[in-house]
Amino acid sequence: MRLVIQRVSQASVTVENQIIGQIENGLLVLLGIEQADSEEDIDWLIQKLIQMRIFSDSEGKMNCSLQDIDGGLLVVSQFTLHASTKKGNRPSFIAAARPEQAIPLYELFLQKAALQLGKKVETGIFGADMKVALINDGPVTITIDSKNRE
């Protein structure tokens, strides 16, 4: 499972000209699920995501977590995070989980994140053509892969 985490001052997801998810100060997370992913990956990633200290404290140092600032969380599914670009110029998405596997894991990720945060998690629509708008604050962009726990 891969996350691209962006600290934002605002973010939204639009489907068919209608905003379906939006947040103010918080994190926009692009979530890629691969065939080998499980609930264990979800638990590890959510712990990292919720507790990662990437928000400024009163002295301007990155010392606060999403929970500390009571920030919003917007999670958007994105299978293209598992693109393989080894051969040629056309990416292969063979490692990305098929919808029948990915959707339950995506929904479980959302449920567990909401429980950890103690509030609703905003989302996109799995598999839809989405338009994502954001104002990256910092900019701060971090990637995490549950298969490469550094």
Side-chain angles (χ1 to χ4, degrees):
M1 213 169 266
R2 289 187 183 145
L3 303 182
V4 174
I5 302 163
Q6 295 181 303
R7 186 178 76 181
V8 298
S9 55
Q10 65 183 43
S12 64
V13 178
T14 301
V15 175
E16 296 179 4
N17 297 317
Q18 188 169 341
I19 294 175
I20 57 159
Q22 66 182 5
I23 61 168
E24 294 299 321
N25 193 33
L27 297 176
L28 166 65
V29 175
L30 305 176
L31 168 63
I33 300 170
E34 70 178 332
Q35 295 173 16
D37 289 334
S38 69
E39 188 171 348
E40 179 187 334
D41 296 287
I42 292 170
D43 293 338
W44 184 81
L45 285 169
I46 287 175
Q47 201 68 13
K48 292 293 266 184
L49 176 66
I50 302 299
Q51 295 180 5
M52 188 175 298
R53 298 184 311 167
I54 58 174
F55 292 92
S56 299
D57 63 16
S58 60
E59 296 176 9
K61 296 183 181 191
M62 284 202 284
N63 213 13
C64 296
S65 70
L66 186 62
Q67 277 184 317
D68 294 335
I69 67 151
D70 193 29
L73 180 60
L74 172 59
V75 179
V76 176
S77 64
Q78 189 168 350
F79 76 94
T80 60
L81 292 179
H82 288 288
S84 173
T85 57
K86 287 182 181 179
K87 293 183 182 178
N89 295 317
R90 185 177 186 173
S92 167
F93 303 106
I94 196 92
R98 304 280 313 147
E100 54 273 9
Q101 178 191 7
I103 291 171
L105 289 172
Y106 172 71
E107 291 173 351
L108 186 59
F109 185 96
L110 298 173
Q111 290 169 1
K112 289 187 171 218
L115 277 173
Q116 280 283 339
L117 272 179
K119 65 180 179 178
K120 182 179 189 253
V121 173
E122 295 290 317
T123 66
I125 296 176
F126 190 96
D129 180 18
M130 297 176 274
K131 307 300 181 213
V132 180
L134 68 135
I135 297 176
N136 192 318
D137 180 22
V140 174
T141 301
I142 296 170
T143 60
I144 301 178
D145 190 321
S146 63
K147 303 296 189 254
N148 187 17
R149 299 179 186 190
E150 299 177 328

